[in-house]
Amino acid sequence: MIEFDNVSLTLGSFSLKNISLTINEGDYYFVLGPSGAGKTVILEAIAGLHRPDSGSVLVRGEDLCNKPPEKRKISLVYQDYSLFPHMTVFDNVAFGLKMQKCPKSEIRMKVDDILDRFNISHLRDRHPLTMSGGEQQRVALARSLVVNPKILLLDEPLSALDPLTHEKFIRDLRSLHKEQGLTIVHVSHSRQEALSLANNVAVIIDGRLVQEDTVEGVFNRPSTEEVGRFVGIENIFRGRVNRNDDSLINVDVCGVNISAVGNYPDGTEVNLFIRGEDIMLFQTDGAVTSARNTLEGEITDSFHVGAVVRVNVDCGIPVSVLVTRQSSEEMNLIRGKKVIVRFKATAVHAVPVNMDAAEI
Amino acid sequence: MIEFDNVSLTLGSFSLKNISLTINEGDYYFVLGPSGAGKTVILEAIAGLHRPDSGSVLVRGEDLCNKPPEKRKISLVYQDYSLFPHMTVFDNVAFGLKMQKCPKSEIRMKVDDILDRFNISHLRDRHPLTMSGGEQQRVALARSLVVNPKILLLDEPLSALDPLTHEKFIRDLRSLHKEQGLTIVHVSHSRQEALSLANNVAVIIDGRLVQEDTVEGVFNRPSTEEVGRFVGIENIFRGRVNRNDDSLINVDVCGVNISAVGNYPDGTEVNLFIRGEDIMLFQTDGAVTSARNTLEGEITDSFHVGAVVRVNVDCGIPVSVLVTRQSSEEMNLIRGKKVIVRFKATAVHAVPVNMDAAEI
Amino acid sequence: MVKKAKKYIFPDRCLISFSLVGGLIIALTVLALMNMAVKELSDIPHILKVASDAKVIDSIVLTMGAGFNAILILLLIGTPLAYVLARTDFPGKGIVESLVDLPVMLPHTVAGILVYILFMSRGLLGAPLEEIGLSFEDAYPGIVVAMLFVSSPYYINSVRAGFEKVPLHLENVARTLGATRFQAFIRIVLPLSARHIFNGSILAWGRAIGEFAAVIMIAYYPMVISTLIYYRFTTGGIKESSTVAFVMIIACLGAFFVLRYVSRFLGRYDDRV
Amino acid sequence: MVKKAKKYIFPDRCLISFSLVGGLIIALTVLALMNMAVKELSDIPHILKVASDAKVIDSIVLTMGAGFNAILILLLIGTPLAYVLARTDFPGKGIVESLVDLPVMLPHTVAGILVYILFMSRGLLGAPLEEIGLSFEDAYPGIVVAMLFVSSPYYINSVRAGFEKVPLHLENVARTLGATRFQAFIRIVLPLSARHIFNGSILAWGRAIGEFAAVIMIAYYPMVISTLIYYRFTTGGIKESSTVAFVMIIACLGAFFVLRYVSRFLGRYDDRV
């Protein structure tokens, strides 16, 4: 539906370099990258507020470079909400309809309807500056949706909300996308948001597209070490394939042998990605499981990370394991304790290193 | 060590109301609250940059209201790092020592030493504006520590960092506190940071102190529903005690009976707090466990939240359970499936509702 | 949204000495005003006589009116220029900005000469305009054009600063909602910089009615108030002219007081960061 | 840290028409300059004669020197005032701000009268100062004090804006590291507003050397350049005075060009948001 074809764009000291993206109708498309990576500029280019220096932005196959933003039917919600401070909530939401020269009675109906749907009817006559962040957020969303856009662009919509409003809003977005089939493009630096919401993800680092894939793809099979670290994979090892049994490879990582599913010739240098929650910890007297990889080690450190506990184990290579608080207490996972670490070959994602070079 | 005795302070439209806090020597003290709750002002008051309208700030029993900030030996690191843009990293770090009229050779030694300790020696002659957020953060921390402060104040030190730098920095802070015994006061809206770092926590909402307790206290036994929601407890129910067996109470929540540890007379209205990770899910044919509370229900919804999966179950009352991704896949926890929900009486924290009123 | 915190600070030694040194400038202004006020108020009948002098009243009305006229022209042609400067970058923008500022930096008599030789009866613009009946030398249009020239930078720069304070995001959102750039300008940018436009107008008006050098060169007659004061200073002496000056100060204070009061009701939303 | 994005935008209909309307003001200035330049450059020997006239050179040197003198005084007493205004709130601050701005809003001849009656030989300050040998009427100190009075708001407001742009957090951090307020001012605030101070000085200097009305009232002699131009305008006629004006424009442009060039090397860190 939206295609970025080799778009380059320089704005002052910042630049996007040869970005190609494909956003399909009905997607929840996530643009993920560190702060300051120019993710907002991508949204503004889709909305027509910037003109690419080269390359083209196609919407349904039509090159939009000469279509001004007011004719694109693409709504944009900024991180700062950008409500019009001199208008009431009603007038803010009605703005787009007025610009489209809707009859007054229809405007009143449509606006009241959407205010109701977003549970903000009681704010109808308030001015934005007197409202909380969560309330402003809802108004901004209502304002952008009342004009019935083809695409909704969201610029870090959750970063300024406190945790309570945050969770509520994620639920709203999910329902907007699932129940109403809206195409949404969402930019953020938060991998949590991407995991909770996205279908497809583009990872943008330093103005370059590093990976475009499904959310599972990006989070489980990062194309480079850089992406792996950014999406928060706890264990990333570099090693060399030393045996290839059809679709099962054996990788030597600093002398430790790890089995992974994959098919690369002997001698290939690969990055191995293993999520901390895919690794199991056992007492040294624990039972045998089907897991291919079994390492012995000693706990070096363990600490809470939100609802889970992260346990670092030295097995020759440093392995990080995520366990629930309950398991941590039951197994008494403290520093110095010897444990067995197990993970399946299918939990290890091997990506050849030379793909890194191809991307850069 | 630091005592806030009934401090009130109004700055423009914002105000702190009768805040009393006690920060002990060697504490990692966390001030937690929604954005804009005036947490920074508390730090600035400790540093002597604001003078309270009423009440007093005592450090080691001495009232500091007339001691200017430059004589307090309290360092402050702002969220924006606030490096001096016209000085090199060396000069930034040396600034405090120069102000204390250290001899030049000693300054050079001390600064080089701390730059080395923070692994930023290579930045010595760079100017701050050319550095990444993580680098700036380290320089700001080195600058504040080289003067050997009695207390370190941190204002949302992690919020502007990308996830990678974030985790590294949490480790640095933990070692600063644990290994060097520094007293740290950290303000933030992030409950994750509080869980990873704090000993004691003060929850500030709307300029009022709502709860001051150990980190376990605040996260497991919130004094009010408001705090409970803020610290992210997934299940909060209001009910009435209908039986009291010595230290075990039975609470009626909309017709569902829940056992909790506690000792309140019959008829007391209580809030029950249950963390999602303290609740277990079983197939309907599962074994009996020691858990006191067993409810049957149907899954209404399930979705990823970071590394875990949140499953909402309708058991007459809506119960949210956090499980690992692995369990979720193995048990096939999808919408409409019937499951059994179990949790121990000790996982239920009962707090009488009238305590709410006392706080407000 | 973030209101600037009030900064009532307990004064330390540094602030106190800074206030004492810096206070010398304030003291000079206060002393100058008091000095004149004491002298003038000792002879109230004389003030009343001067204040009711038809020549003085006519001159004040002429000055304020011509200033108002210049501001009206600025509103129409200065506002679009301020918007273009606020929102776009183009090669040579620095030169355009310097040209906008030029009238501030030029000595007033030089500005006067520039305007005079352009608009005098034999001038490049003065000659053809005289043909169609618009004469500038020693005439009302000459006063207006001189005032316009010297006050334009004040208006344009104030309004530009106001436009720059309106977040670009608001305009962007308005456009994605279907507003053309002009509609976004009228409905978003203008209302949110109402106070800057008003204050810029006051500032430019103050500069316009205060101009002397540029005005006398093209139009000694009809006498604006500055010319009248100078005329009385050189002919009637100090007592005459200082009373006229005092009356003008009162009139200006009155006008500014009213205008500032009105501006309070304007653009409450300008404060948005 | 966040560099302001360049905004080269594809021009739409709205921007083009705004540019055309707003361009009228630029066109007026350009036309005025061209009109004079064409006339003057047609008689280059005359320019050279005027430019080498000792009276003209003396007057330009006198004007620029007196302006420089006024700015030196402003640096010393205006800078602390600007800091106090930037960093503190106190009851009656609005009145102090109005007093700072007063010289901008007063008609120039009124400002001249105020300065004259305070510093004339029989004046409140003029009389005692004449006793100790400092006389203002028709003398160099009179020129400096008139220039100081009219240019002070420009300096104070620019420098204040510069101080306000220095993040308060930087001062706070410096203080927690052991700097007194004065040390923080010298080591943090001043270096970070160097460019604002320099540009404020240029602006105030430009205003000072351009003053005519306030200067002639207290000191017709020695003639500053504005007075000389006006004198030749009323006696020698337009040709004489417009050539002097042209020479002065060249001198001003030269001076500003050099000063702006110098300012590039100052305060690279002022841009920090």
Side-chain angles (χ1 to χ4, degrees):
Chain A
M1 184 185 193
I2 309 177
E3 246 177 281
F4 260 59
D5 188 11
N6 228 8
V7 168
S8 295
L9 178 51
T10 301
L11 272 175
S13 62
F14 163 77
S15 67
L16 287 181
K17 296 165 200 107
N18 299 316
I19 301 257
S20 293
L21 305 173
T22 310
I23 301 166
N24 295 312
E25 189 136 9
D27 253 6
Y28 198 115
Y29 194 92
F30 215 91
V31 179
L32 187 68
S35 309
K39 304 182 298 294
T40 305
V41 176
I42 293 182
L43 292 190
E44 291 179 337
I46 296 176
L49 296 159
H50 298 300
R51 157 185 296 258
D53 300 333
S54 69
S56 51
V57 179
L58 306 164
V59 174
R60 298 181 192 188
E62 180 191 2
D63 188 338
L64 281 191
C65 278
N66 287 307
K67 205 165 184 176
E70 62 264 28
K71 298 218 172 104
R72 294 196 178 189
K73 288 185 105 16
I74 297 177
S75 285
L76 171 58
V77 177
Y78 279 110
Q79 180 176 8
D80 57 8
Y81 320 127
S82 292
L83 297 179
F84 306 133
H86 57 307
M87 299 183 189
T88 61
V89 166
F90 180 90
D91 289 334
N92 262 281
V93 177
F95 184 85
L97 297 172
K98 270 187 204 149
M99 289 302 108
Q100 293 174 5
K101 305 211 168 28
C102 262
K104 275 214 171 151
S105 59
E106 198 184 322
I107 292 181
R108 196 169 311 126
M109 212 188 61
K110 280 192 175 171
V111 173
D112 282 340
D113 198 56
I114 202 161
L115 291 180
D116 203 46
R117 231 173 73 211
F118 278 83
N119 290 317
I120 43 175
S121 295
H122 58 291
L123 301 173
R124 193 176 187 277
D125 300 315
R126 293 263 296 278
H127 276 83
L129 298 188
T130 66
M131 293 165 14
S132 74
E135 288 170 340
Q136 291 190 47
Q137 181 72 276
R138 283 171 170 265
V139 176
L141 204 61
R143 181 178 64 177
S144 67
L145 292 173
V146 77
V147 293
N148 203 14
K150 290 182 187 137
I151 302 160
L152 176 64
L153 309 176
L154 300 171
D155 177 21
E156 302 253 7
L158 295 146
S159 65
L161 299 179
D162 61 65
L164 299 186
T165 325
H166 194 115
E167 278 161 25
K168 203 164 156 197
F169 196 66
I170 286 207
R171 257 173 279 143
D172 289 347
L173 287 180
R174 194 177 292 119
S175 96
L176 261 179
H177 172 243
K178 287 209 178 136
E179 284 155 33
Q180 298 175 43
L182 191 64
T183 308
I184 297 180
V185 183
H186 179 144
V187 308
S188 170
H189 65 272
S190 162
R191 53 207 197 200
Q192 277 219 14
E193 289 170 24
L195 271 172
S196 315
L197 290 163
N199 295 128
N200 290 309
V201 177
V203 182
I204 305 271
I205 295 178
D206 285 338
R208 274 177 297 105
L209 175 71
V210 189
Q211 185 169 11
E212 187 188 24
D213 205 337
T214 60
V215 64
E216 289 78 18
V218 167
F219 279 81
N220 292 328
R221 293 178 304 280
S223 62
T224 70
E225 192 183 330
E226 190 181 24
V227 177
R229 289 204 191 286
F230 186 75
V231 299
I233 293 183
E234 291 82 3
N235 301 285
I236 305 183
F237 305 115
R238 183 169 289 205
R240 196 173 288 280
V241 177
N242 60 13
R243 216 178 58 216
N244 180 345
D245 281 355
D246 200 6
S247 66
L248 195 69
I249 54 175
N250 218 354
V251 182
D252 172 58
V253 179
C254 307
V256 175
N257 262 315
I258 294 178
S259 297
V261 174
N263 201 342
Y264 307 110
D266 278 19
T268 315
E269 211 179 345
V270 291
N271 279 320
L272 301 180
F273 301 99
I274 315 166
R275 293 216 151 257
E277 70 256 35
D278 290 339
I279 304 179
M280 286 160 288
L281 275 186
F282 293 91
Q283 310 277 10
T284 40
D285 53 357
V288 184
T289 69
S290 69
R292 282 243 165 214
N293 294 293
T294 301
L295 304 173
E296 243 176 288
E298 189 181 306
I299 295 178
T300 55
D301 194 9
S302 90
F303 49 89
H304 287 242
V305 182
V308 295
V309 176
R310 178 166 175 166
V311 183
N312 291 327
V313 184
D314 177 15
C315 307
I317 51 176
V319 178
S320 279
V321 186
L322 295 183
V323 300
T324 58
R325 282 207 299 176
Q326 236 175 359
S327 320
S328 164
E329 280 161 26
E330 282 168 8
M331 292 178 64
N332 188 30
L333 298 173
I334 52 165
R335 187 180 169 150
K337 182 171 175 130
K338 290 204 186 304
V339 288
I340 289 180
V341 159
R342 290 213 169 98
F343 47 95
K344 299 183 194 167
T346 51
V348 186
H349 298 284
V351 180
V353 169
N354 59 346
M355 273 181 66
D356 285 36
E359 290 287 336
I360 292 166
Chain B
M1 184 182 192
I2 308 177
E3 248 176 279
F4 259 59
D5 187 12
N6 229 9
V7 169
S8 294
L9 177 52
T10 301
L11 273 174
S13 62
F14 162 77
S15 66
L16 288 180
K17 296 166 202 106
N18 299 317
I19 302 257
S20 295
L21 305 174
T22 310
I23 301 167
N24 294 313
E25 189 136 9
D27 254 6
Y28 199 115
Y29 193 93
F30 215 92
V31 179
L32 187 68
S35 308
K39 303 184 297 297
T40 306
V41 177
I42 293 181
L43 291 189
E44 291 179 336
I46 296 177
L49 296 160
H50 298 302
R51 156 183 297 256
D53 300 334
S54 68
S56 50
V57 178
L58 306 164
V59 173
R60 296 179 195 191
E62 182 194 359
D63 188 338
L64 282 192
C65 278
N66 287 305
K67 206 165 184 175
E70 60 266 28
K71 298 216 171 106
R72 294 196 179 189
K73 288 185 102 25
I74 297 176
S75 286
L76 171 58
V77 177
Y78 278 110
Q79 181 175 9
D80 56 9
Y81 322 125
S82 291
L83 297 179
F84 306 135
H86 57 308
M87 299 183 190
T88 62
V89 166
F90 181 90
D91 289 334
N92 263 281
V93 177
F95 184 85
L97 296 172
K98 271 188 203 148
M99 290 300 109
Q100 293 174 6
K101 304 205 170 28
C102 263
K104 276 212 170 155
S105 60
E106 200 186 319
I107 292 180
R108 196 169 312 125
M109 212 188 63
K110 280 191 174 170
V111 172
D112 282 340
D113 198 58
I114 203 161
L115 291 181
D116 203 48
R117 232 173 72 212
F118 279 83
N119 291 319
I120 44 176
S121 296
H122 59 290
L123 301 173
R124 195 177 185 276
D125 300 316
R126 293 261 298 277
H127 275 82
L129 297 189
T130 66
M131 293 164 14
S132 75
E135 289 170 337
Q136 291 190 45
Q137 181 72 276
R138 284 171 168 263
V139 175
L141 205 60
R143 182 178 65 177
S144 67
L145 291 173
V146 76
V147 294
N148 202 14
K150 289 182 186 137
I151 301 159
L152 177 64
L153 308 176
L154 300 171
D155 178 21
E156 303 252 7
L158 296 145
S159 63
L161 300 178
D162 60 65
L164 300 186
T165 326
H166 195 115
E167 278 161 25
K168 202 165 157 197
F169 196 66
I170 286 208
R171 259 174 277 143
D172 289 346
L173 287 180
R174 195 178 291 121
S175 96
L176 262 179
H177 172 242
K178 285 209 178 135
E179 285 155 33
Q180 299 176 42
L182 191 65
T183 309
I184 297 179
V185 183
H186 179 144
V187 308
S188 171
H189 66 271
S190 160
R191 52 206 198 203
Q192 276 218 17
E193 289 170 23
L195 272 171
S196 315
L197 288 163
N199 295 129
N200 290 308
V201 177
V203 182
I204 306 271
I205 295 177
D206 285 337
R208 274 177 298 103
L209 175 70
V210 189
Q211 185 169 12
E212 186 189 25
D213 205 337
T214 60
V215 63
E216 289 77 20
V218 166
F219 279 82
N220 290 328
R221 295 179 302 279
S223 62
T224 70
E225 192 182 330
E226 192 180 24
V227 177
R229 288 205 192 286
F230 186 74
V231 300
I233 292 182
E234 290 83 3
N235 300 286
I236 305 182
F237 305 116
R238 184 168 287 204
R240 197 173 288 279
V241 177
N242 60 13
R243 214 176 59 215
N244 178 347
D245 279 355
D246 201 4
S247 66
L248 196 69
I249 54 176
N250 219 354
V251 181
D252 172 59
V253 179
C254 307
V256 176
N257 262 315
I258 293 178
S259 296
V261 175
N263 200 341
Y264 307 109
D266 279 18
T268 315
E269 210 179 345
V270 291
N271 279 321
L272 300 180
F273 301 100
I274 315 166
R275 294 214 152 258
E277 70 256 35
D278 290 340
I279 304 178
M280 288 159 290
L281 276 185
F282 294 90
Q283 312 275 10
T284 39
D285 53 0
V288 182
T289 70
S290 69
R292 284 244 163 211
N293 295 292
T294 301
L295 304 173
E296 246 176 287
E298 189 180 308
I299 295 177
T300 54
D301 193 10
S302 91
F303 49 91
H304 286 243
V305 181
V308 295
V309 177
R310 179 166 174 164
V311 184
N312 293 326
V313 185
D314 178 14
C315 308
I317 51 177
V319 178
S320 278
V321 186
L322 295 183
V323 299
T324 58
R325 283 208 297 177
Q326 235 175 0
S327 318
S328 164
E329 279 162 28
E330 281 167 10
M331 292 178 64
N332 190 27
L333 298 175
I334 52 162
R335 188 179 167 150
K337 182 170 176 131
K338 289 205 187 302
V339 287
I340 289 180
V341 160
R342 290 213 168 98
F343 47 95
K344 298 182 192 167
T346 52
V348 186
H349 298 283
V351 180
V353 169
N354 58 348
M355 273 181 65
D356 284 37
E359 290 288 335
I360 291 166
Chain C
M1 207 158 94
V2 176
K3 262 193 117 177
K4 221 171 158 191
K6 289 264 180 183
K7 288 164 293 184
Y8 291 101
I9 298 178
F10 189 77
D12 51 35
R13 229 179 304 162
C14 173
L15 282 178
I16 291 170
S17 35
F18 274 27
S19 305
L20 290 178
V21 175
L24 287 176
I25 284 198
I26 307 295
L28 178 67
T29 307
V30 172
L31 204 61
L33 286 176
M34 298 293 290
N35 182 41
M36 176 183 269
V38 167
K39 276 192 193 142
E40 293 304 322
L41 292 175
S42 62
D43 189 0
I44 290 179
H46 184 68
I47 298 182
L48 294 178
K49 207 191 90 202
V50 171
S52 56
D53 177 350
K55 268 195 187 157
V56 173
I57 294 175
D58 283 355
S59 174
I60 290 180
V61 169
L62 169 75
T63 309
M64 291 190 170
F68 185 68
N69 213 324
I71 301 311
L72 279 186
I73 298 173
L74 275 178
L75 278 170
L76 286 177
I77 63 178
T79 310
L81 182 61
Y83 180 79
V84 172
L85 290 175
R87 285 291 193 243
T88 67
D89 258 330
F90 49 86
K93 188 176 178 186
I95 295 170
V96 172
E97 288 173 323
S98 303
L99 286 171
V100 167
D101 285 337
L102 192 78
V104 185
M105 301 312 284
L106 284 181
H108 302 161
T109 45
V110 174
I113 296 252
L114 281 174
V115 171
Y116 178 72
I117 61 177
L118 192 60
F119 286 95
M120 61 187 182
S121 305
R122 313 170 276 132
L124 189 64
L125 291 181
L129 287 169
E130 186 143 310
E131 296 266 306
I132 61 166
L134 196 64
S135 107
F136 290 84
E137 255 182 274
D138 284 333
Y140 182 77
I143 299 175
V144 172
V145 86
M147 285 180 169
L148 176 69
F149 186 70
V150 296
S151 64
S152 63
Y154 295 84
Y155 179 82
I156 293 167
N157 289 330
S158 296
V159 174
R160 174 187 175 168
F163 288 161
E164 279 174 349
K165 273 201 180 163
V166 176
L168 191 57
H169 283 185
L170 296 184
E171 257 184 278
N172 284 350
V173 166
R175 298 203 64 191
T176 60
L177 292 172
T180 63
R181 184 183 281 277
F182 186 70
Q183 284 173 318
F185 174 74
I186 294 293
R187 289 178 174 263
I188 309 296
V189 181
L190 270 193
L192 289 177
S193 37
R195 188 153 64 189
H196 272 92
I197 293 175
F198 192 77
N199 286 345
S201 303
I202 296 181
L203 187 68
W205 184 69
R207 180 69 185 75
I209 62 174
E211 184 52 30
F212 171 55
V215 172
I216 46 168
M217 292 194 139
I218 191 147
Y220 197 91
Y221 294 104
M223 275 192 186
V224 297
I225 193 71
S226 282
T227 316
L228 185 70
I229 290 171
Y230 184 66
Y231 172 76
R232 299 240 168 136
F233 181 74
T234 49
T235 55
I238 184 69
K239 168 132 187 159
E240 273 299 306
S241 64
S242 102
T243 305
V244 179
F246 190 69
V247 169
M248 183 62 186
I249 290 178
I250 304 286
C252 280
L253 284 183
F256 288 126
F257 185 79
V258 170
L259 291 172
R260 288 281 172 198
Y261 186 75
V262 170
S263 97
R264 287 204 184 176
F265 297 98
L266 268 177
R268 284 185 287 152
Y269 304 103
D270 279 26
D271 289 334
R272 214 194 110 113
V273 176
Chain D
M1 208 157 95
V2 177
K3 262 192 118 177
K4 220 170 161 194
K6 289 265 179 181
K7 288 164 294 185
Y8 292 101
I9 298 177
F10 190 78
D12 51 36
R13 228 180 303 162
C14 172
L15 281 178
I16 291 170
S17 35
F18 275 26
S19 304
L20 290 178
V21 174
L24 287 176
I25 284 198
I26 307 295
L28 178 65
T29 307
V30 171
L31 205 59
L33 285 175
M34 299 293 288
N35 182 41
M36 176 183 267
V38 166
K39 274 193 193 143
E40 294 304 319
L41 292 176
S42 63
D43 189 358
I44 290 181
H46 183 68
I47 297 183
L48 294 178
K49 207 190 89 199
V50 170
S52 55
D53 178 349
K55 268 196 188 159
V56 172
I57 294 175
D58 285 353
S59 175
I60 290 181
V61 170
L62 170 76
T63 310
M64 291 190 170
F68 185 67
N69 212 325
I71 301 311
L72 279 187
I73 299 173
L74 276 178
L75 278 170
L76 286 177
I77 63 178
T79 311
L81 182 62
Y83 180 78
V84 172
L85 290 174
R87 283 293 193 240
T88 68
D89 256 332
F90 49 87
K93 189 176 179 185
I95 295 170
V96 172
E97 289 173 324
S98 303
L99 285 170
V100 167
D101 285 338
L102 191 79
V104 186
M105 301 312 283
L106 285 180
H108 301 161
T109 45
V110 174
I113 296 252
L114 281 174
V115 171
Y116 178 71
I117 61 175
L118 191 59
F119 284 95
M120 63 185 179
S121 304
R122 313 169 276 130
L124 190 62
L125 291 181
L129 287 170
E130 187 142 310
E131 296 267 304
I132 60 166
L134 197 65
S135 104
F136 290 83
E137 254 182 270
D138 282 335
Y140 182 76
I143 298 175
V144 173
V145 86
M147 285 180 169
L148 178 70
F149 187 72
V150 297
S151 64
S152 64
Y154 295 83
Y155 179 82
I156 294 167
N157 289 331
S158 296
V159 174
R160 174 187 175 169
F163 288 161
E164 278 174 349
K165 273 200 180 163
V166 176
L168 192 57
H169 282 185
L170 295 185
E171 258 184 279
N172 285 349
V173 166
R175 298 203 64 191
T176 61
L177 292 172
T180 62
R181 183 183 282 276
F182 186 69
Q183 284 174 317
F185 174 72
I186 295 292
R187 288 176 175 268
I188 309 298
V189 181
L190 272 192
L192 290 176
S193 37
R195 188 154 63 191
H196 271 93
I197 293 176
F198 191 76
N199 287 346
S201 302
I202 297 180
L203 188 68
W205 184 69
R207 180 67 184 78
I209 63 175
E211 184 53 29
F212 170 54
V215 173
I216 46 166
M217 293 196 141
I218 192 150
Y220 198 90
Y221 294 103
M223 275 191 186
V224 297
I225 193 71
S226 283
T227 316
L228 185 71
I229 291 171
Y230 184 66
Y231 172 77
R232 300 241 168 135
F233 182 75
T234 49
T235 56
I238 184 69
K239 168 134 184 158
E240 273 299 304
S241 64
S242 101
T243 305
V244 178
F246 189 68
V247 170
M248 182 63 186
I249 290 179
I250 304 287
C252 281
L253 284 183
F256 287 127
F257 185 79
V258 170
L259 291 172
R260 288 280 171 200
Y261 185 74
V262 170
S263 96
R264 286 203 184 176
F265 297 98
L266 269 176
R268 285 185 285 152
Y269 303 105
D270 279 26
D271 291 333
R272 216 196 107 113
V273 176

